[in-house]
Amino acid sequence: MSEVIQELYESVISGNAELTEEKVQAALDSGSEPSVILNEGMISAMAEVGERFEKGEFFVPEMLISARAMQFGLSILKPQLQDGDLASEGKVVLGTVKGDLHDIGKNLVSMMMESAGFQVLDLGTDVPAVQFLEMVQETGADIVAMSALLTTTMPSMKDVIDALEDTGIRDKVKVIIGGAPVTESYAEKIGADGYAADASRAVKVTKSLLDE
Ligand code: B1M
């Protein structure tokens, strides 16, 4: 890991938002790849924050300030995360499911999808099934994209799929899910059309679902 990426990693863990912005800019200026800055400098730092939380070394406030630092860093990186080759048309209703407040991964998915040419209707966090449903009905969206970071909120994804089925519009949209505890087999189990392990794969899976 280069020195500037190491410093970025540490600034996210210590939750220093201003320093994180500076380090992202410094890493870009020194020619680091945006994907390296994102994965090695920031996503791995959040994984370390999670591990420290599990060990009882960090508590919720520490997780929050690290998340804030990551959001600041992402705002600098956002213009660099463009992927012109994937340009495509499609309307995506995106949200973190009911009961779940984690939004960093969901925001990354939003950024990557927007930069790939999708129109993203981001409902935010703690989104109940009825809100996904209403947005699909109002906008005629092609895709419902859901994020969950807690094992306890994963079943909310199934609630959305059930709501789409109950109102007879399940076959009008494709459903893609993701988030740290979510797996391909869980996606199959609840009847989602696609699963992606990270934001860039979410773009590819969404695109292939629309091409079907
Ligand atoms: Co929370 N939290 N948290 N937390 N938190 C986790 C998820 C946890 C694993 C930490 C741990 O114990 N190791 C644990 C969950 C355990 C479990 O259920 N298995 C946990 C817990 C327990 C909790 C609370 C219950 C703690 C408490 O209050 N006692 C509480 C719950 C609140 C709630 O949601 N109701 C809580 C609260 C919080 C904060 C609010 C403090 C904060 C979130 C702030 C925010 O998001 N604005 C927070 C944080 C920061 C984390 C960790 C440390 C980091 C999450 C993160 O942002 N990662 C997390 C530990 C960890 O994940 N290792 C943890 C970086 C992000 C880029 O990754 O979101 O996984 P991720 O997104 C990835 C992929 O998953 C994927 O793409 C991204 C990469 O490109 N992806 C998708 C995500 N969504 C996708 C959708 C797709 C496709 C791909 O298609 C639609």
Side-chain angles (χ1 to χ4, degrees):
M1 198 187 285
S2 75
E3 196 178 327
V4 66
I5 299 289
Q6 179 68 36
E7 288 165 355
L8 172 60
Y9 176 87
E10 281 160 18
S11 72
V12 172
I13 292 176
S14 64
N16 188 331
E18 288 71 26
L19 189 62
T20 298
E21 277 185 332
E22 273 172 37
K23 294 299 170 192
V24 171
Q25 192 57 59
L28 286 170
D29 293 345
S30 71
S32 299
E33 284 293 323
S35 61
V36 171
I37 299 174
L38 179 65
N39 292 317
E40 294 181 20
M42 295 197 280
I43 292 183
S44 61
M46 292 307 290
E48 172 62 23
V49 170
E51 276 173 32
R52 291 190 192 186
F53 177 76
E54 261 173 52
K55 287 191 226 149
E57 294 167 8
F58 269 20
F59 300 94
V60 171
E62 281 91 352
M63 286 207 289
L64 265 177
I65 59 165
S66 288
R68 177 171 170 269
M70 173 131 182
Q71 303 276 20
F72 270 57
L74 283 176
S75 67
I76 306 289
L77 201 59
K78 183 176 178 181
Q80 313 298 323
L81 292 173
Q82 307 259 327
D83 194 342
D85 296 342
L86 290 168
S88 151
E89 294 290 317
K91 217 180 269 178
V92 181
V93 172
L94 170 70
T96 302
V97 294
K98 187 171 165 51
D100 202 320
L101 301 173
H102 296 85
D103 68 355
I104 297 178
K106 186 262 301 163
N107 293 344
L108 266 174
V109 170
S110 175
M111 275 179 209
M112 302 290 251
M113 283 190 171
E114 274 181 356
S115 62
F118 292 100
Q119 183 187 346
V120 178
L121 306 156
D122 189 342
L123 299 174
T125 59
D126 191 18
V127 181
V130 65
Q131 210 179 325
F132 279 103
L133 192 67
E134 282 170 3
M135 192 56 115
V136 170
Q137 286 172 322
E138 273 167 32
T139 62
D142 312 285
I143 294 270
V144 172
M146 293 181 272
S147 179
L149 262 285
L150 300 171
T151 44
T152 50
T153 58
M154 285 165 63
S156 302
M157 296 173 148
K158 169 96 167 60
D159 294 344
V160 175
I161 294 174
D162 288 347
L164 291 167
E165 263 162 18
D166 292 347
T167 31
I169 56 170
R170 176 66 187 91
D171 58 344
K172 300 212 167 15
V173 283
K174 298 289 184 186
V175 176
I176 170 173
I177 63 172
V182 179
T183 59
E184 181 97 57
S185 65
Y186 186 74
E188 272 169 33
K189 186 176 149 197
I190 66 168
D193 302 297
Y195 156 78
D198 60 44
S200 64
R201 267 178 275 196
V203 170
K204 287 179 191 150
V205 172
T206 303
K207 194 170 183 306
S208 70
L209 288 175
L210 288 179
D211 286 346
E212 271 173 9

